[in-house]
Amino acid sequence: MGKQKDMAIKGLRAKQKQVFILLLLITLTAVFFLVGASQKRSSIASEPLIVNGHTASAEQFGMYLGLKKALVADYFKQTYGAEYTDQFWTTSYSGEMPLQRLIDEAKAELTKTIALQQLAKKSGIAVDGSYVSFHSGMEAENSRRSKAAADGEIVYGPTSFEIEAYYSYYMSNLESATLEAMQKSGKLSVPDDKVKQAYETDKQTKYSLPRHVKLKWAVLPYGDGAALINKNEALRVMEQLKKAAVDQASFIDSAKQLAIEVMDASLTSATRRTAALESPIAVQQAERIQADQLSDIFEENGELNLLYCISKGEPILQSYEKVKDAIASELMSEQFREIAQQESRLATVEWDNERAERLARSWLGITKL
């Protein structure tokens, strides 16, 4: 009887052990599954954007937030008069929130960039689209420029790029390289008849050398160190000159009486480029007026200005043979931009809105209330 009892107890213990092991296996399996699923969700959630299979990192997304931050802030200031306060990014302005607009702008720019990088790859250009590669490229370029400047070599542009400027430089170079590769492969081409048609359509406005313009240029400085301190007072004096000047002689005489300096000036095809860099508004005004006409009063380089046009020569039409290559290049650039824009529009984008907002809030240093 005792032996039977012992055997029963042993059997019961064996069954309990089997049940325990089974439950343990079930638990471990469930834990393994949940951990795996959690890791998978975490992995997916950690990346806010995937474009055509390319995953953008949080750092990369942050870079594009930085590229668009000032633009978005200025939009809300110009559109709604919004001031930049601690609550700016999460305040609604007529249904628009700066935080969401910033996210949308960064997303669009990042999508455009990745689409262009992938177009470059398809065209045979080796491109690493990662943030690490981009940042390393900027550091290498800055190092090269600094060394070149130290060695006395000519450096076009800054000797050191900030990230916004380097991004523009990077995109410009990538577009140029991709366009050239597509042109060589025959994916980009412009028929001769289209080039000729473009010339005939625009030859008077775009393919004529600028006319020689002779001017009298009245200049009236104001502010510290000038005879007139107040801008409004200087403007009243310049308006008196414009009212009194009916021809070249009266323009000169009236300016002398009002103590306004008058200079001789001319604009030619050889000097136009330099003049446009130094005084772009003056060049625009000079091109607008005809002989014996006055320009508008305009402010430039801390001075008030008024132009009197003495004479204006006829524009010189450039021959088709001379400009056809430039026209073909322009048309090809337009064709390339259309292809690049289409690549961006057709890109397959996987977007995690909640993750993107968390990243944007973290990047801006704001918390969700």
Side-chain angles (χ1 to χ4, degrees):
M1 192 71 180
K3 290 182 179 180
Q4 290 178 351
K5 184 178 180 181
D6 288 342
M7 289 175 65
I9 291 173
K10 288 179 180 179
L12 180 60
R13 287 177 178 173
K15 288 182 179 180
Q16 288 176 337
K17 186 176 181 181
Q18 289 175 352
V19 171
F20 174 76
I21 292 172
L22 180 61
L23 289 173
L24 180 61
L25 287 171
I26 292 171
T27 303
L28 288 174
T29 301
V31 169
F32 178 78
F33 175 81
L34 290 172
V35 169
S38 175
Q39 288 177 340
K40 185 176 181 182
R41 285 195 301 270
S42 176
S43 174
I44 293 172
S46 68
E47 310 298 353
L49 179 68
I50 300 174
V51 180
N52 291 338
H54 174 89
T55 303
S57 66
E59 291 82 6
Q60 195 171 17
F61 181 55
M63 183 188 85
Y64 286 87
L65 291 170
L67 292 175
K68 295 297 181 179
K69 182 181 178 183
L71 182 69
V72 171
D74 183 66
Y75 166 80
F76 279 89
K77 182 174 180 60
Q78 297 300 325
T79 306
Y80 303 107
E83 296 298 328
Y84 195 78
T85 64
D86 292 341
Q87 291 77 39
F88 168 76
W89 293 105
T90 53
T91 300
S92 176
Y93 299 91
S94 298
E96 278 197 286
M97 185 179 291
L99 176 62
Q100 187 57 53
R101 188 177 181 93
L102 176 61
I103 292 170
D104 292 342
E105 291 279 356
K107 174 186 176 183
E109 190 67 24
L110 179 50
T111 302
K112 183 184 81 172
T113 304
I114 294 174
L116 177 61
Q117 289 169 338
Q118 294 185 341
L119 178 60
K121 286 182 180 179
K122 287 191 289 187
S123 302
I125 299 172
V127 179
D128 183 344
S130 69
Y131 172 77
V132 173
S133 175
F134 175 86
H135 209 271
S136 296
M138 182 176 70
E139 291 178 347
E141 180 62 21
N142 283 342
S143 177
R144 184 193 70 78
R145 286 170 172 265
S146 297
K147 184 178 184 304
D151 293 342
E153 299 175 13
I154 296 175
V155 177
Y156 296 99
T159 54
S160 181
F161 282 115
E162 296 295 330
I163 197 163
E164 292 86 354
Y166 180 72
Y167 173 74
S168 296
Y169 172 80
Y170 169 86
M171 290 293 283
S172 177
N173 285 343
L174 185 60
E175 287 173 358
S176 297
T178 308
L179 188 154
E180 185 178 348
M182 293 178 71
Q183 182 181 358
K184 287 181 178 178
S185 67
K187 292 180 180 177
L188 283 178
S189 62
V190 180
D192 291 340
D193 60 333
K194 283 195 175 182
V195 178
K196 183 69 174 177
Q197 182 182 356
Y199 173 77
E200 293 297 334
T201 301
D202 300 323
K203 62 184 179 183
Q204 297 297 337
T205 56
K206 294 177 67 173
Y207 307 116
S208 295
L209 292 173
R211 292 180 281 182
H212 183 174
V213 184
K214 293 184 68 175
L215 305 159
K216 289 292 183 179
W217 188 340
V219 180
L220 183 60
Y222 66 89
D224 295 340
L228 298 173
I229 303 298
N230 186 275
K231 177 182 175 180
N232 290 332
E233 185 180 353
L235 184 60
R236 283 194 293 272
V237 173
M238 192 63 93
E239 286 172 343
Q240 290 179 48
L241 172 60
K242 186 171 184 179
K243 187 175 181 179
V246 293
D247 55 25
Q248 182 180 342
S250 60
F251 181 80
I252 296 171
D253 291 342
S254 299
K256 187 175 181 179
Q257 293 173 20
L258 294 167
I260 299 174
E261 181 185 6
V262 175
M263 305 178 294
D264 289 319
S266 63
L267 198 60
T268 67
S269 58
T271 63
R272 191 172 302 268
R273 181 177 178 83
T274 301
L277 292 173
E278 295 175 352
S279 305
I281 301 176
V283 171
Q284 291 173 8
Q285 291 287 337
E287 290 177 339
R288 187 177 300 147
I289 57 177
Q290 300 301 318
D292 298 320
Q293 285 186 351
L294 290 165
S295 72
D296 296 329
I297 297 171
F298 60 95
E299 182 178 5
E300 189 164 49
N301 301 323
E303 301 169 327
L304 293 180
N305 303 266
L306 182 64
L307 304 177
Y308 180 88
C309 181
I310 300 172
S311 64
K312 207 166 197 177
E314 290 298 319
I316 303 171
L317 182 64
Q318 298 183 84
S319 69
Y320 172 71
E321 291 298 321
K322 190 171 184 178
V323 298
K324 67 178 183 180
D325 290 342
I327 298 172
S329 179
E330 183 180 349
L331 292 175
M332 207 166 295
S333 294
E334 291 176 1
Q335 191 180 97
F336 171 75
R337 284 192 293 271
E338 290 175 2
I339 292 172
Q341 289 170 3
Q342 185 179 32
E343 290 287 316
S344 182
R345 287 194 300 268
L346 298 179
T348 302
V349 181
E350 299 174 40
W351 183 252
D352 185 338
N353 287 306
E354 292 183 3
R355 175 65 179 172
E357 183 177 335
R358 288 198 298 272
L359 286 172
R361 285 176 174 273
S362 175
W363 187 85
L364 289 166
I366 57 178
T367 55
K368 194 167 185 177
L369 299 177

